[in-house]
């Protein structure tokens, strides 16, 4: 038990934990001490000290002090045992997040090493290097992520639990362009788009996250909603900064709530496919959004088109703007 607790405290340093909880401290001296307002009692002058080397805190205001577990007991009003359980969960979350971030960095590095990935992007009209970087677009060649992450000390068990590696022990994503899916700015999943003959697209197991780039889009009084990442990219390239993407026509409850978080107009710009499924989905969604007081308009692309093909086949921003203006309520 004692050893496990030491390991837990090493994995999750007190200062890191406090910063995750939005505590801000400044160096108190040349040494390893930081000082800031006490999270345990209300005060205006900082008297809460953290020693980053010893992993201990002490508050001169309320007289409380101790290690990370003591801090969780006091701040969350938990017993010792409950605090340990809570911290074990936090630590697993931190690992999970870290490994997804590492995977994303790896995928992004691969993009320049595989000309076939670049060619596919070009074919889909994706050109802007700044946007590729902003959306953290990468490439999963397959057969190399597992080795890369194991060499960085992540366990095979963790890689399996994240879904990055399948139960047979192989990279789950191969020959796919990869887009990270985020929730509250943290990567929670990857969307992989096949550049070959494999099944067109897939996610890793788990939630698909927020509407794409929602933090930068939510400020706009009207937003353009598309279903595919390549639709989003061409719209952003064409100057439509208020475009976001739900990664499929079925919105999760969280994504739906995001669209409803204030009064706004939503331009639903789903595919106009032969079987009509895109437009049916748009109609059903419009109905649900209107029930929440959101204004909806259905953008009617020429038959057989999605926003991506519209721009790739020569459509320009002015023409798309006309479609927005003509969109029926
Ligand atoms: Zn205090």
């Amino acid at each position: 038990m004692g050893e496990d607790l030491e390991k837990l405290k090493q994995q999750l340093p007190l200062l890191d934990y406090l910063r995750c909880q939005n505590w801000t401290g400044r160096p108190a001296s040349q040494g390893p001490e930081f000082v800031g307002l006490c999270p345990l009692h209300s005060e205006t002058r900082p008297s809460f000290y953290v020693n980053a080397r010893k992993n201990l805190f002490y508050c001169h205001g309320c007289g409380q002090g101790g290690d990370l577990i003591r801090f969780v007991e006091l701040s969350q009003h938990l017993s010792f045992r409950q605090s340990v359980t809570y911290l074990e969960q936090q630590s697993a979350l931190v690992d999970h997040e870290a490994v997804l971030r590492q995977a994303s960095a790896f995928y992004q590095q691969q993009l320049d090493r595989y000309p076939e990935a670049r060619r596919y992007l070009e074919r889909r009209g994706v050109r802007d290097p700044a946007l590729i970087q902003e959306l953290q677009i990468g490439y999963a060649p397959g057969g190399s992520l597992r080795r890369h992450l194991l060499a960085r000390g992540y366990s095979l068990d963790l890689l399996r639990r994240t879904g990055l590696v399948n139960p047979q022990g192989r990279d789950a994503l191969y020959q796919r362009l990869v887009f990270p899916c985020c929730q509250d700015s943290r990567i929670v999943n990857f969307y992989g788009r096949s550049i070959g003959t494999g099944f067109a697209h897939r996610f890793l197991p788990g939630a698909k996250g927020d509407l794409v780039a929602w933090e930068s889009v939510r400020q706009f009084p009207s937003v353009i909603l598309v279903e595919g990442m390549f639709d989003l990219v061409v719209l952003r390239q064409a100057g439509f900064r208020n475009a976001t993407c739900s990664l499929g026509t079925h919105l999760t409850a969280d994504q739906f709530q995001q669209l409803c978080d204030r009064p706004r107009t939503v331009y639903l710009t789903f595919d106009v496919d032969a079987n009509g499924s895109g437009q049916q989905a748009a109609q059903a969604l419009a109905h649900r959004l209107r029930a929440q007081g959101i204004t909806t308009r259905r953008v009617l692309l020429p038959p057989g088109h999605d926003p991506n093909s519209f721009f790739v086949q020569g459509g320009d921003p002015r023409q798309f703007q006309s479609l927005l203006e003509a969109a029926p309520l």
Side-chain angles (χ1 to χ4, degrees), residues 17-323:
Y17 175 80
L18 289 166
R19 283 181 171 149
C20 284
Q21 307 286 316
N22 296 320
W23 182 77
T24 47
R26 58 176 170 77
S29 57
Q30 295 292 74
E33 272 204 317
F34 293 79
V35 61
L37 292 173
C38 178
L40 301 173
H41 83 281
S42 134
E43 64 177 5
T44 50
R45 294 208 348 238
S47 51
F48 184 86
Y49 286 77
V50 177
N51 187 312
R53 194 177 301 146
K54 293 183 185 160
N55 248 335
L56 295 172
F57 72 95
Y58 184 76
C59 174
H60 292 277
C62 59
Q64 299 285 8
D67 61 4
L68 173 64
I69 298 169
R70 180 74 188 136
F71 182 81
V72 170
E73 285 182 280
L74 291 167
S75 60
Q76 310 270 346
H77 309 289
L78 297 175
S79 71
F80 180 82
R81 189 169 288 274
Q82 287 169 327
S83 299
V84 171
T85 307
Y86 166 83
L87 285 169
E88 280 167 352
Q89 287 162 353
Q90 292 290 309
S91 170
L93 284 179
V94 170
D95 278 356
H96 198 107
E97 267 176 62
V99 74
L100 293 180
R101 266 203 313 277
Q102 285 280 342
S104 177
F106 175 80
Y107 291 143
Q108 288 177 72
Q109 285 161 8
Q110 306 313 306
L111 195 55
D112 284 325
R113 299 186 184 154
Y114 291 85
E116 61 268 40
R118 282 282 170 186
R119 277 199 299 274
Y120 186 87
L121 280 182
E122 277 162 32
R123 209 162 70 232
R124 301 303 300 266
V126 180
R127 293 178 309 268
D128 181 0
L131 190 59
I132 290 174
Q133 205 172 13
E134 185 193 331
L135 296 173
Q136 303 177 66
I137 302 174
Y139 180 63
S144 51
L145 178 72
R146 168 188 152 141
R147 194 171 355 112
H148 175 82
L149 293 175
L150 288 180
R152 269 153 193 74
Y154 295 102
S155 69
L156 186 56
D157 180 52
L158 175 65
L159 302 189
R160 283 206 176 105
R161 272 186 283 127
T162 55
L164 288 166
V165 163
N166 66 20
Q168 292 75 41
R170 288 191 286 272
D171 288 10
L173 299 177
Y174 58 92
Q175 294 183 0
R176 278 163 197 274
L177 285 163
V178 177
F179 302 84
C181 309
C182 297
Q183 193 157 3
D184 301 328
S185 311
R186 292 192 316 267
I187 299 175
V188 294
N189 203 334
F190 290 102
Y191 170 76
R193 177 83 205 189
S194 178
I195 68 166
T197 49
F199 187 70
H201 41 231
R202 62 163 301 190
F203 294 93
L204 299 184
K208 69 175 173 176
D210 296 334
L211 292 169
V212 177
W214 184 242
E215 276 312 307
S216 65
V217 171
R218 63 184 305 181
Q219 52 171 321
F220 293 100
S222 69
V223 306
I224 303 169
L225 178 69
V226 297
E227 59 181 272
M229 277 306 291
F230 292 112
D231 301 329
L232 176 69
V233 175
V234 292
L235 274 173
R236 293 285 289 267
Q237 282 181 172
F240 295 93
R241 305 282 311 165
N242 58 335
T244 186
C245 170
S246 48
L247 290 165
T249 55
H250 178 76
L251 274 67
T252 64
D254 285 346
Q255 290 177 333
F256 183 79
Q257 278 312 316
Q258 288 177 320
L259 286 179
C260 298
D261 70 357
R262 70 182 67 172
R264 59 163 61 87
T265 301
V266 178
Y267 288 88
L268 298 166
T269 318
F270 288 175
D271 301 0
V272 181
D273 31 26
N275 63 16
S277 62
Q279 288 311 301
Q280 271 168 25
Q283 234 159 10
L285 179 58
H287 187 74
R288 288 172 58 212
L289 286 168
R290 281 199 301 271
Q292 301 295 318
I294 299 295
T295 306
T296 60
R297 298 181 66 169
R298 218 143 47 81
V299 180
L300 299 173
L301 294 162
H305 274 290
D306 56 38
N308 184 266
S309 62
F310 179 81
F311 281 101
V312 168
Q313 291 174 27
D316 65 28
R318 198 179 41 77
Q319 290 167 333
F320 190 79
Q321 183 62 42
S322 317
L323 291 178

